[in-house]
Amino acid sequence: DTEVTQTPKHLVMGMTNKKSLKCEQHMGHRAMYWYKQKAKKPPELMFVYSYEKLSINESVPSRFSPECPNSSLLNLHLHALQPEDSALYLCASSQERASGRALEETQYFGPGTRLLVL
Amino acid sequence: QKEVEQNSGPLSVPEGAIASLNCTYSDRGSQSFFWYRQYSGKSPELIMSIYSNGDKEDGRFTAQLNKASQYVSLLIRDSQPSDSATYLCAVTGNQFYFGTGTSLTVIP
């Protein structure tokens, strides 16, 4: 089973709202990722979790706050977003067969959450 | 210079033809190379991974890697209209980079 699930599929929020995106995988992967993708652009890496610890933060603004409660779950907490944050948010997971080298593994993507900030 | 470069296209091929997608990268230390397909409004789906120089075939798809030339390609044989999508090259080493993608249209 190579399935990564994400909820919700769509989200509309105001700039003062607080919301969370959720991601789950049951493949036993120990690395999980958040990406942001704007229309007609490639996905941009935001965060990488390795063994439930944040290993990479690609200089993402603090209005995005990731959380990894356990090895199967990954959340992205959103607060005080801007309209330019509207995008498709993708979660992915991968194995990590060598310590610190998760990025060399195949990543499996969830269907994404399409976020609109008004 | 971008870390991973792809022709943005659009690339159009007739049904049944071979589609050739190309990708160059700048980091000589890159170890892992991936091709993903992304349909409009959907998430990326892995087509092929390749780690060693040479060709790797999977059905109608062949990935080719040449580390000396820092070049990776994807050939799609017997192209079908359902192959119409954006193809993303991804390259990893110490960091991870997606190319900008090539839009492919297969004309029936």
Side-chain angles (χ1 to χ4, degrees), chain A:
Chain A
D1 181 12
T2 55
E3 186 176 4
V4 177
T5 59
Q6 290 187 243
T7 56
K9 291 184 179 180
H10 302 275
L11 179 62
V12 180
M13 59 186 292
M15 291 188 285
T16 59
N17 292 158
K18 287 184 180 181
K19 297 287 185 183
S20 296
L21 309 184
K22 297 186 185 300
C23 174
E24 188 168 6
Q25 57 89 14
H26 293 289
M27 295 179 278
H29 290 169
R30 302 311 299 267
M32 296 185 76
Y33 310 78
W34 280 116
Y35 287 86
K36 172 183 176 180
Q37 187 175 25
K38 303 282 273 185
K40 299 191 184 303
K41 298 289 187 182
E44 298 173 32
L45 185 63
M46 300 174 71
F47 302 105
V48 180
Y49 271 83
S50 173
Y51 288 84
E52 300 157 48
K53 294 190 187 322
L54 183 64
S55 62
I56 295 177
N57 176 343
E58 293 284 2
S59 303
V60 179
S62 60
R63 58 186 184 270
F64 296 92
S65 175
E67 178 196 19
C68 189
N70 60 56
S71 60
S72 300
L73 293 174
L74 186 65
N75 298 323
L76 185 63
H77 303 297
L78 314 173
H79 173 55
L81 295 192
Q82 304 297 308
E84 59 264 29
D85 296 321
S86 299
L88 180 67
Y89 287 84
L90 295 162
C91 174
S93 72
S94 76
Q95 295 180 331
E96 185 170 352
R97 284 172 283 200
S99 178
R101 298 177 68 170
L103 291 176
E104 296 181 8
E105 304 284 352
T106 299
Q107 296 180 34
Y108 295 91
F109 285 83
T113 294
R114 189 159 299 280
L115 173 66
L116 177 62
V117 182
L118 299 176

